[in-house]
Amino acid sequence: MEKKSALILVDLQYDFCPLGALPVPKGDEVIPIANKLMDCFDCIVATKDWHPANHGSFAANHPWRKPGQLIELNGLEQILWPIHCVQNSFGAEFVDELNTNLIDKVIHKGTQPGIDSYSGFFDNGHQKGTGLHEYLESESIRQVYVMGLAADYCVKYTALDAVSLGYETFLIEDGTRGVNLKPDDTSNALEEMKEAGVNIIQSSSLVNTEICG
Ligand code: VGL
Ligand code: ZN
């Protein structure tokens, strides 16, 4: 029997585009790839970074802190970010060019003020699930293909959690871009994913296959 697969689109929101509040250089370039690949999958999940205005990952919510600085947030190391993806704001919307009609399930993450959530599966402390694993199980999904923003944060942690939950996991390299606070962050993230058992592929390798005929 053919294994069922899902496409996971991570955080394709305005704030992660080049003109957004937390810009990912060339982040907008992955949208056409997402649109093309959506035709190939029966099950498409999209995550949304979805923070309340008082979220602890925002530098502006801590006295005198600036984006890029490290703090401890409820016992976990936290990088501080500019205010981004505030619930119901423009920056939290899916990019307009994304063909959202084909999305079967939207998973919101980072909704609790005291804890960040890079992964689409769990918060950063692995205390609470987002419902993504249960959803994929209910659809009998065994393989996941991950792409989106940002390669060195939410995409990386989503792919790593997928592997540790037992999914056969693929990262679509040309479908992701990194923030690169440090220049090597994205290449290090790819290496870390590969070592954990994530298969790094290009979107072109899916065309004319069982997945994308
Ligand atoms: C992300 C930093 C903060 C991401 C979200 O989507 O990669 N990065 N919040
Ligand atoms: Zn965030």
Side-chain angles (χ1 to χ4, degrees):
M1 204 186 78
E2 187 194 326
K3 276 191 225 166
K4 270 193 81 179
S5 0
L7 178 66
I8 303 179
L9 303 173
V10 178
D11 297 3
L12 296 177
Q13 295 162 279
Y14 280 116
D15 271 342
F16 299 117
C17 285
L19 295 175
L22 203 172
V24 180
K26 304 187 176 190
D28 54 332
E29 292 181 358
V30 308
I31 304 295
I33 296 176
N35 286 336
K36 192 155 35 162
L37 291 182
M38 278 194 271
D39 283 334
C40 309
F41 287 84
D42 294 328
C43 180
I44 298 158
V45 181
T47 66
K48 268 191 169 180
D49 213 33
W50 195 250
H51 300 311
N54 64 345
H55 198 254
S57 76
F58 299 164
N61 289 329
H62 302 275
W64 306 114
R65 296 292 101 194
K66 291 284 175 282
Q69 293 179 338
L70 284 174
I71 61 160
E72 198 181 292
L73 186 63
N74 296 313
L76 294 178
E77 187 179 89
Q78 174 71 48
I79 304 178
L80 292 175
W81 300 107
I83 295 170
H84 66 279
C85 295
V86 173
Q87 295 172 4
N88 302 305
S89 69
F90 163 76
E93 284 175 25
F94 286 128
V95 174
D96 203 38
E97 289 75 17
L98 184 69
N99 183 4
T100 52
N101 295 337
L102 293 174
I103 296 170
D104 298 297
K105 177 86 177 168
V106 178
I107 297 283
H108 295 91
K109 62 186 180 61
T111 57
Q112 299 300 311
I115 188 153
D116 212 354
S117 186
Y118 293 147
S119 162
F121 289 96
F122 296 103
D123 63 68
N124 290 1
H126 271 237
Q127 297 298 308
K128 261 203 198 146
T130 58
L132 177 54
H133 182 43
E134 291 76 6
Y135 175 72
L136 295 174
E137 281 193 317
S138 74
E139 296 289 317
S140 309
I141 302 292
R142 305 288 310 283
Q143 276 185 332
V144 297
Y145 290 76
V146 183
M147 63 161 287
L149 305 171
D152 36 1
Y153 292 95
C154 293
V155 169
K156 174 176 108 171
Y157 288 104
T158 299
L160 292 176
D161 278 344
V163 170
S164 58
L165 289 166
Y167 296 96
E168 190 178 358
T169 306
F170 299 83
L171 183 275
I172 302 163
E173 186 178 0
D174 54 326
T176 189
R177 296 289 185 279
V179 181
N180 290 318
L181 291 181
K182 294 197 217 81
D184 291 340
D185 283 353
T186 295
S187 50
N188 289 338
L190 287 170
E191 202 48 47
E192 207 179 315
M193 288 186 261
K194 207 186 292 181
E195 270 167 30
V198 177
N199 304 286
I200 312 287
I201 63 165
Q202 307 301 320
S203 62
S204 58
S205 73
L206 293 175
V207 181
N208 300 321
T209 63
E210 236 181 283
I211 296 275
C212 201

